Amino acid sequence: MSLLSIKGLVKRYPSDSGAQIDVVRIPSLLVEPGEQILLQGESGSGKSTLLNLIAGIVVADEGEIVLSGENICALSESERDAHRARSLGYVFQNFNLLNGYTSLENVELGMSFGSGVDRSYAKNLLDRVGLGNRQSYRPEQLSQGQKQRVAVARALANRPKLVLADEPTGNLDPTNAKLSLELIQSLCSENGAALILVSHDPGLDDKFERTLELAELNQAGMAGAEGRSA
Ligand code: ADP
Ligand code: MG
């Protein structure tokens, strides 16, 4: 069984003129356990919206998203929050770390809504991302690259089956971006997690088993749907 199965997924937003635009219109997409996928597309093409739909942060207008056997689209908001905490890791572009909390606490927060806090595993993850000696630092005491690595450790804290990463290297210099990408990929494969990673960086295709172009995923819906407005 696929880890993630998307069918007939539609998300609309109102445009400036007030008309509804299909931002996401994906007839079908399957993601297998452990698969690593690069998701590309122009700015504004709907990449973040798709990740947020899969995470249950944004609600679909039509279709279904089945993750680990559960159709997210049929869940209430609180059920979606619980499902996300149990099944998903999410690395946001701006990292979304909680200020006022240490690195270790930020990773533990990634556990507290899911399987429960496991301090030794949280420390283990921080070691793994090279921050064993920064456990008690708060986000404002960390560099961009270090914050990003805390965010990666937090995303893996619940041993998720799927990790979503939205332009995780966008705020990093090229050296840190490369290291960080390698770290995300190796942590996902070590943990048997599938990965959907959004990036604009050129030349990443050969580092991924599969590359998806959002415009192509959306294409079937665009054909014939003049201007994609309803
Ligand atoms: P990407 O991540 O590929 O740059 P997004 O998914 O952020 O693109 O946005 C896709 C499109 O949806 C954009 O045109 C954006 O303006 C629109 N959009 C995103 N979120 C909202 C929202 N909450 N309300 C209205 N339009 C939105
Ligand atoms: Mg985006």
Side-chain angles (χ1 to χ4, degrees):
M1 191 178 76
S2 297
L3 173 68
L4 175 71
S5 162
I6 290 178
K7 284 202 193 87
L9 182 66
V10 178
K11 178 64 191 175
R12 302 184 186 96
Y13 279 126
S15 68
D16 287 344
S17 67
Q20 296 283 322
I21 305 279
D22 292 356
V23 171
V24 170
R25 175 173 275 277
I26 299 179
S28 165
L29 174 65
L30 297 177
V31 176
E32 302 308 322
E35 201 175 13
Q36 300 203 340
I37 296 177
L38 175 65
L39 179 62
Q40 295 184 316
E42 289 173 16
S43 180
S45 61
K47 304 179 297 296
S48 298
T49 302
L50 175 57
L51 294 194
N52 287 333
L53 284 162
I54 295 169
I57 295 168
V58 160
V59 181
D61 292 302
E62 289 174 27
E64 61 175 49
I65 301 170
V66 179
L67 175 61
S68 301
E70 186 106 56
N71 181 11
I72 297 164
C73 301
L75 300 179
S76 69
E77 188 175 354
S78 61
E79 288 169 336
R80 289 198 310 277
D81 290 344
H83 184 61
R84 178 164 63 249
R86 278 195 311 271
S87 319
L88 268 180
Y90 204 142
V91 183
F92 296 90
Q93 179 167 13
N94 58 3
F95 316 136
N96 275 10
L97 297 178
L98 289 181
N99 291 316
Y101 289 84
T102 66
S103 302
L104 184 60
E105 287 164 346
N106 266 283
V107 176
E108 289 178 344
L109 277 163
M111 298 167 160
S112 55
F113 301 104
S115 49
V117 173
D118 178 344
R119 172 151 293 188
S120 72
Y121 188 55
K123 288 185 172 183
N124 181 299
L125 280 169
L126 283 174
D127 278 338
R128 185 63 188 82
V129 300
L131 293 177
N133 57 354
R134 294 285 187 277
Q135 291 177 17
S136 58
Y137 282 50
R138 294 186 303 280
E140 68 268 22
Q141 299 170 304
L142 299 172
S143 72
Q144 289 295 100
Q146 290 169 335
K147 278 188 237 186
Q148 207 263 4
R149 283 184 272 150
V150 176
V152 170
R154 183 186 55 185
L156 285 149
N158 267 333
R159 298 179 161 85
K161 288 277 170 277
L162 176 63
V163 171
L164 306 174
D166 197 354
E167 308 198 37
T169 57
N171 287 322
L172 304 181
D173 60 78
T175 307
N176 269 309
K178 183 167 178 290
L179 287 173
S180 162
L181 183 75
E182 286 167 3
L183 187 61
I184 293 174
Q185 290 198 289
S186 53
L187 274 170
C188 285
S189 35
E190 279 167 30
N191 289 278
L195 171 67
I196 304 178
L197 183 140
V198 170
S199 181
H200 274 120
D201 298 349
L204 292 186
D205 301 46
D206 59 354
K207 295 194 164 58
F208 284 81
E209 298 158 8
R210 201 170 151 202
T211 300
L212 296 175
E213 188 65 44
L214 195 61
E216 284 169 23
L217 276 181
N218 275 334
Q219 208 166 35
M222 285 161 75
E226 291 302 308
R228 298 200 291 149
S229 53

